[in-house]
Amino acid sequence: MRHIIHADLDAFYATVEQLDNPELRGKPVLVGGRPESRGVVATASYEARPFGVRSAMPMRTAVRLCPQGIIVRPRFTRYREMSRQVMEVFREFTEVIEPLSLDEAYLDISGAVNESEGRWPLGVALDLKRRVKSQTGLTVSVGVSVSKSVSKIASDLDKPDGLVVVPPGDQADFLAPLAVGKLWGIGPKTAERLKAEGVDTIGALAEQPPEWFERMFGQRANSVRLRSIGLDDEPVNTERITKSVSSETTFPDDLGDPEELRRVLEELAGGVAGSLERKGLQGRTVTVKLRLADFTTFTRQSTLPSPSNEPGPIQELAWRLFSAELTTGRTFRLLGVGVSNFAEPDEIRQLPLSIEGDFRAYGTGLGWPERAPQA
Ligand code: DCP
Ligand code: MG
């Protein structure tokens, strides 16, 4: 039997700030951009949350709700470093780790569990929490079950410093009373659609007949149905194979000059192309990542007509994506370029080298672990 942990750090950025600066401990900390320049909250410490402060809220609103809040500017390099340390602690338990973002990962701990020797999933989870705390100073909330989607929901139910174990076989009972929107893959729009059908809870969803699932979810019907009873068996996907190559840079001062931005973008794209070539990879999807002066972070991506690791086409498409975002007065804190969606090795020889044809529409990129704050 599989045992899967979903681990998510508590108030990640804010906790790192409190760890590094003892004066912030026990106080409401708001990490994010400046209220006067339309900044947003990246996260708030748990001391600030009773005031109603939430991630992605305008900082101005946060300050109104929590005037005693201490605003701290984010330090992404430090968060990445802490994230690496946490992932190292995870690796003491298993090699089968799927990071979802800087502060979140699935771990397949089946190998660490041995019930006949008294090593139960609960014990492994407690040990993991203790070691994260003692080796990094951070607290992590953990969900444990036999399925990824159940563990993910469980880790969120008892935050901060949470630990929720759903024993094998109890998944459906555990899920039944929860809001249907908590289920992985059910976004706000789908949740609305289900509500209109009288389905509010995961339990109500699970009771629907197969034809209903077909009608509501089409091709996804069976996987959603299995997830609603906690019987999904998706494996923890380790990222040992490279799925994307990217490079990004944060500017010491916000940058708005198109010439300068183009130079930086081409340098980044050229570096990524070189790195692809060294790894023997060719990618189809080019993603640019942008962070504005107010810390809003987002990505734009498009697809090359054929896989490439040449600087020219990658630079050209990166610029095409970026220049569409270059409006008057907009300044940038960070730029990144990534390439993903690699060709299989046997495809590489027979590829045409030109880049002609249509470019596909924008999408949101998944190449970077950070989520975009919504302004
Ligand atoms: N983040 C962000 N913008 C968002 C959401 C999150 O910049 N809209 C960043 C800041 C968070 C980090 O990502 O610290 C992790 O996101 P989580 O959703 O896990 O939030 P926290 O770890 O801060 O809090 P929680 O204890 O609820 O997990
Ligand atoms: Mg978190």
Side-chain angles (χ1 to χ4, degrees):
M1 184 179 295
R2 303 185 313 155
H3 298 282
I4 292 171
I5 278 183
H6 178 262
D8 187 310
L9 297 166
D10 300 319
F12 178 42
Y13 294 1
T15 310
V16 173
E17 296 304 331
Q18 289 176 323
L19 203 60
D20 289 355
N21 179 359
E23 282 181 16
L24 298 176
R25 292 182 197 164
K27 296 191 182 145
V29 173
L30 314 173
V31 180
R34 294 195 177 88
E36 61 276 17
S37 52
R38 304 199 12 248
V40 293
V41 177
T43 196
S45 69
Y46 274 83
E47 292 83 357
R49 295 195 190 189
F51 297 90
V53 180
R54 298 282 174 267
S55 289
M57 175 182 274
M59 188 60 90
R60 206 186 291 247
T61 312
V63 170
R64 191 150 14 98
L65 292 170
C66 181
Q68 63 274 61
I70 304 167
I71 301 175
V72 179
R73 313 276 284 159
R75 295 177 300 146
F76 297 103
T77 315
R78 177 73 178 127
Y79 307 145
R80 265 195 294 275
E81 181 186 306
M82 287 302 277
S83 172
R84 256 197 306 275
Q85 287 181 28
V86 171
M87 299 291 166
E88 261 169 46
V89 177
F90 291 170
R91 226 162 274 125
E92 294 173 12
F93 292 81
T94 175
E95 284 294 317
V96 189
I97 298 173
E98 178 180 347
L100 299 176
S101 71
L102 286 185
D103 89 322
E104 200 186 334
Y106 290 114
L107 288 74
D108 188 326
I109 54 154
S110 309
V113 170
N114 187 330
E115 295 176 358
S116 61
E117 288 178 16
R119 275 185 291 138
W120 298 83
L122 170 64
V124 175
L126 281 168
D127 200 17
L128 181 96
K129 284 169 64 69
R130 265 195 299 263
R131 278 200 239 172
V132 168
K133 180 76 186 168
S134 67
Q135 293 179 38
T136 70
L138 300 172
T139 59
V140 62
S141 291
V142 167
V144 194
S145 79
V146 297
S147 112
K148 273 165 88 166
S149 66
V150 172
S151 296
K152 177 145 167 104
I153 292 171
S155 73
D156 198 45
L157 286 186
D158 191 28
K159 263 182 171 292
D161 203 10
L163 174 56
V164 174
V165 181
V166 181
D170 287 3
Q171 298 95 294
D173 288 344
F174 164 79
L175 294 172
L178 303 176
V180 77
K182 287 214 177 266
L183 206 60
W184 190 85
I186 310 271
K189 274 197 198 133
T190 311
E192 277 304 309
R193 221 157 47 86
L194 296 179
K195 211 174 233 170
E197 296 265 323
V199 171
D200 284 330
T201 62
I202 301 178
L205 177 65
E207 279 169 10
Q208 302 302 317
E211 315 82 66
W212 183 91
F213 274 96
E214 286 288 338
R215 182 160 57 80
M216 296 302 286
F217 297 102
Q219 290 206 318
R220 296 202 296 147
N222 201 41
S223 60
V224 176
R225 197 182 58 78
L226 288 174
R227 228 178 282 135
S228 75
I229 47 176
L231 287 184
D232 51 305
D233 58 359
E234 211 197 306
V236 173
N237 264 323
T238 58
E239 295 269 60
R240 253 180 252 131
I241 7 157
T242 309
K243 289 197 173 151
S244 72
V245 172
S246 62
S247 176
E248 63 180 48
T249 183
T250 305
F251 308 121
D253 297 300
D254 294 348
L255 205 60
D257 176 38
E259 293 280 312
E260 182 75 353
L261 286 161
R262 181 162 194 158
R263 197 188 53 73
V264 173
L265 198 75
E266 292 192 340
E267 203 172 290
L268 290 168
V272 168
S275 159
L276 287 171
E277 179 167 22
R278 283 190 295 281
K279 292 174 200 270
L281 296 169
Q282 297 192 346
R284 294 183 186 87
T285 303
V286 173
T287 306
V288 296
K289 174 178 169 182
L290 310 97
R291 181 170 296 137
L292 304 180
D294 70 354
F295 287 98
T296 312
T297 308
F298 57 100
T299 58
R300 292 287 178 256
Q301 67 175 214
S302 187
T303 304
L304 295 161
S306 61
S308 177
N309 58 17
E310 286 192 275
I314 297 170
Q315 285 167 330
E316 190 186 319
L317 185 50
W319 175 249
R320 206 186 284 198
L321 289 166
F322 175 72
S323 54
E325 300 300 325
L326 198 58
T327 51
T328 332
R330 220 176 203 191
T331 60
F332 297 84
R333 297 193 77 79
L334 172 148
L335 272 191
V337 176
V339 172
S340 57
N341 194 4
F342 299 134
E344 296 300 322
D346 58 339
E347 278 178 74
I348 286 177
R349 254 168 294 118
Q350 58 222 29
L351 295 170
L353 288 171
S354 63
I355 67 143
E356 289 157 324
D358 288 339
F359 289 86
R360 258 195 255 156
Y362 292 166
T364 38
L366 293 168
W368 283 275
E370 285 161 36
R371 258 162 291 166
Q374 310 285 300

